[in-house]
Amino acid sequence: MRRMRSGWAYLLAAVLISVAAYLSGADPVFAVILLVLGVLAILVQKGDEQAEVSFVAPPEHVADEAEDDEPVLPVILSTLSALDLPVFIIGRDGMLRGQNFAAEKAFGTLSPGQHISARWRSPSILDMVRETIATDEPNQIEHSERLPSERVYIVRIAPVPQSAEKGGEALFLLSFRDISELRRLDRMRSDFVANASHELRTPLASLRGFIETMQGPARGDPKAQERFLAIMLEQANRMSRLVDDLLSLSRLELKAHLAPDQKVDLVPVIGHVRDSLTPLARDLDVEIRLHLPEDRVEVLGDRDELVQVFENLIENACKYGQEGRVVDVYVRNPQGGPVEVSVLDFGPGIPAEHVPRLTERFYRVSVADSRSKKGTGLGLAIVKHILTRHRARLIVKSAVGVGTEFTVRF
Ligand code: ADP
């Protein structure tokens, strides 16, 4: 306003001077120039003033919006409630301001106003939070919890951008990404590679040993060579069984999410499996007895994979239950109930502590026993994979000294 007034003063002065100049007989052009200068002074002044106003104050509608804004915290909380990642909101004082549903589910309800150290005592979490609060820079660490169950998290803290800009307080998001399952899969993968290499290395070492013996001490001994060649063939067969099983597993993993959709009648499938295992059963002096219904028993499935399931189960029953001399196979299709196929043997049974682990890759009750029976330790893992794809279950009942029953329930 002060500058506005001085503009008008210039104009007034210019008018007075030009009138005085005109009256005192000066050149009228000079008087007009003075007048024009006065008007220009006012215009320049106005332009300056407008520029100054728009720079200093925000446009009116922006100021209105800021006033109408809801408080920041409830807005953030309602947005986070849709997220399945546990998130806590804390203030610069390290006190809790809120948590989303996922955080409540994972860690229980913490009351607002509680310091985060009341829930997490881990120095690495607390140091990280302290550092971010001091620097406003995001940070993350890996954190494991043992109780109530073993879990591994990536814990991250980051400032909420602009939370303090509208007169509110500075807020920070503390999130917990659960990577326990990823870690478990990583561990399983590396265990699997270690086991597979170990299983292949043993027959390979034996092959190499026999080759060296035949090149050296047994060079001129045809009888020994014949014996060694038989063992070498057995070892090579063992390696090829192992590679076949590994390939089956990896093929099954690739299509694990695709449920099979052909109609397969289980009665001829079981008949086919019995026929293919008859030579083995005869060698082991075991009788395979089938108990089949008259009618068709159809399930949605992949015929070749179902053949593999029942081959593995019946072959195991013959090998490990050999002393029972009989293997019974029942196919049941009760009215309104699930289709079931049970394979029973009357062998030594499986001690209860081994039962939950039987379908793990390379898990065997006795490694020596399995090897002597040409086992790879992958048969039941393959069965489990196929059944998972078929949305079917494997139920194992076993009593030591009585026998074992494997049931597939579709
Ligand atoms: P393997 O190739 O060693 O037979 P599997 O995965 O088929 O591997 O079986 C895993 C282990 O489960 C076997 O090594 C054996 O110890 C045990 N097992 C499987 N079936 C039977 C059975 N019918 N009776 C007793 N033990 C069994």
Side-chain angles (χ1 to χ4, degrees), residues 20 33 41 58 142 189 201 301 376:
I33 288 174
E142 192 176 307
R189 201 171 301 132
R201 204 183 292 137
T376 59

Side-chain angles (χ1 to χ4, degrees), residues 25-46:
D27 190 342
V29 175
F30 175 66
V32 171
I33 288 174
L34 276 178
L35 195 62
V36 169
L37 281 175
V39 172
L40 278 178
I42 284 214
L43 289 178
V44 168
Q45 196 67 40
K46 273 199 151 184

Side-chain angles (χ1 to χ4, degrees), residues 316-317 320 345 350 358 363-365 370 375-377 379-380 404 406:
N316 277 353
Y320 299 107
D345 68 66
I350 305 168
L358 289 180
Y363 190 85
R364 285 166 279 199
V365 176
S370 155
T376 59
L380 291 179
T404 306
F406 281 87

Side-chain angles (χ1 to χ4, degrees), residues 245 312-322 343-351 354 357-367 369-371 373-383 396 398 403-406:
D245 281 358
N312 286 357
L313 293 179
I314 299 174
E315 184 179 329
N316 277 353
C318 294
K319 288 189 316 193
Y320 299 107
Q322 185 187 6
V343 179
L344 273 81
D345 68 66
F346 305 92
I350 305 168
H354 296 290
R357 301 195 58 189
L358 289 180
T359 55
E360 285 176 24
R361 293 158 184 204
F362 298 113
Y363 190 85
R364 285 166 279 199
V365 176
S366 152
V367 176
D369 191 26
S370 155
R371 287 212 179 128
K373 294 181 160 80
K374 300 192 172 147
T376 59
L378 293 173
L380 291 179
I382 292 174
V383 166
V396 187
S398 189
T404 306
E405 176 178 356
F406 281 87

Side-chain angles (χ1 to χ4, degrees), residues 23 32 65 72 79 85 106 110 125 162 164 180 191 210-211 224 243 250 269 284 302 349 359 370 372 375 401 410:
L23 290 177
V32 171
E65 251 175 35
V72 178
T79 311
L85 179 78
L110 307 184
I125 293 189
Q162 297 166 0
S180 321
D191 283 357
F210 284 116
I211 292 170
V243 171
S250 91
V269 166
L284 295 169
D302 176 313
T359 55
S370 155
S372 72
F410 289 90

Side-chain angles (χ1 to χ4, degrees), residues 18 41 124 157 190 198 279 301:
S18 44
S124 45
I157 180 159
S190 59
H198 176 75

Side-chain angles (χ1 to χ4, degrees), residues 85-104:
L85 179 78
V87 180
F88 297 89
I89 302 171
I90 55 175
R92 214 177 264 291
D93 51 7
M95 305 281 193
L96 195 70
R97 298 288 187 274
Q99 66 189 111
N100 68 354
F101 294 138
E104 257 180 62

